Amino acid sequence: MRRILLAIFFMIGSVKLNAQYFSPDLTNWDYSTLKKIKKASFNPLCPQKSNAVVFYCNMARVDGKKFVETILRPYLELVGDTAYSLYLQSLISELNSKKSQLPLKHNLWLEMMAKSYSMNAGRKGIVGHDRFNQRFQLLISLRKAVGENCSYGEESAVGVVVQLMIDEGVENLGHRHNILSNTFKSIGIGFAPHKGYGINCVEEFSE
């Protein structure tokens, strides 16, 4: 029994380690396209992991088909997730057929909101969008479209984005739609330790 448990723990640890060291092959991306994505995604005032989350989101927005080929499939193979669910199949179908759209840009106000909520949710063990309207009150009063994604247990930037875009078990695919929505132009990212899941990541969106 002890050997079985050790083997399970080793396998879980290996998956997390593999995800942390995922390195995408970007050689098949057009240089000018990649340059546009990087310019929008990387802000020197933001943590590297936050920049990486925005980068992967923007790759999916700008060229969904290439995202599937160079990010989604290689990542799933790396972590050993080869059982393609209906949610994953629908994501692949959507990305392969979607039109290119503008990349999201960092918004420091949204960054602060995301960091604040990820820290508060992590400290209290909150899961979900607690006090959403209250936290977005100012933007809502300005008639801005807003959205929020919350990821739990994923330590790597690519893991967060893949988890939210597959949206396994979420019938309305709200997290996926937020990332791919043509309505949203701005994004903020916050990572923090989480009482129940080890780590959580919050993505805040606005026009």
Side-chain angles (χ1 to χ4, degrees):
M1 181 66 178
R2 183 171 178 272
R3 288 184 179 179
I4 294 175
L5 289 174
L6 286 173
I8 292 173
F9 288 140
F10 176 77
M11 290 168 61
I12 293 172
S14 296
V15 167
K16 289 186 176 181
L17 184 64
N18 286 341
Q20 285 283 8
Y21 290 94
F22 174 75
S23 181
D25 181 2
L26 305 181
T27 55
N28 291 329
W29 283 77
D30 175 72
Y31 175 78
S32 60
T33 301
L34 204 56
K35 184 177 179 180
K36 179 177 70 173
I37 295 172
K38 287 183 176 180
K39 183 177 180 180
S41 304
F42 288 87
N43 186 320
L45 299 178
C46 299
Q48 183 178 356
K49 191 186 289 189
S50 297
N51 285 332
V53 169
V54 181
F55 179 69
Y56 286 119
C57 288
N58 282 336
M59 293 181 85
R61 288 170 64 89
V62 173
D63 194 330
K65 186 174 183 179
K66 204 167 289 293
F67 178 87
V68 171
E69 296 170 355
T70 63
I71 305 299
L72 182 60
R73 290 189 187 278
Y75 171 77
L76 293 175
E77 289 174 5
L78 181 68
V79 300
D81 188 356
T82 56
Y84 281 20
S85 68
L86 292 177
Y87 285 88
L88 175 54
Q89 291 176 36
S90 75
L91 172 61
I92 292 173
S93 177
E94 182 174 349
L95 289 173
N96 280 334
S97 61
K98 74 178 292 296
K99 294 181 179 179
S100 178
Q101 58 195 78
L102 293 174
L104 297 163
K105 293 185 177 180
H106 284 274
N107 178 287
L108 292 180
W109 175 253
L110 294 177
E111 293 279 349
M112 290 189 291
M113 289 180 62
K115 185 62 177 177
S116 175
Y117 185 57
S118 65
M119 292 176 65
N120 185 56
R123 185 172 60 254
K124 297 180 179 179
I126 296 171
V127 175
H129 310 283
D130 186 53
R131 300 182 300 107
F132 178 87
N133 289 335
Q134 182 180 341
R135 290 184 286 110
F136 281 91
Q137 185 175 7
L138 176 59
L139 290 173
I140 292 173
S141 69
L142 295 173
R143 299 184 182 278
K144 296 286 188 180
V146 294
E148 178 176 79
N149 287 349
C150 299
S151 166
Y152 303 93
E154 288 289 347
E155 296 185 8
S156 69
V158 64
V160 166
V161 175
V162 169
Q163 180 193 69
L164 292 171
M165 290 188 67
I166 294 175
D167 236 1
E168 190 74 35
V170 180
E171 290 188 10
N172 68 359
L173 302 176
H175 304 105
R176 182 191 306 178
H177 293 331
N178 282 343
I179 292 174
L180 300 178
S181 172
N182 196 40
T183 300
F184 295 138
K185 305 295 190 297
S186 302
I187 189 171
I189 307 294
F191 277 92
H194 192 277
K195 185 178 180 180
Y197 288 89
I199 192 168
N200 76 132
C201 175
V202 174
E203 298 179 336
E204 308 288 30
F205 300 88
S206 182
E207 293 180 77

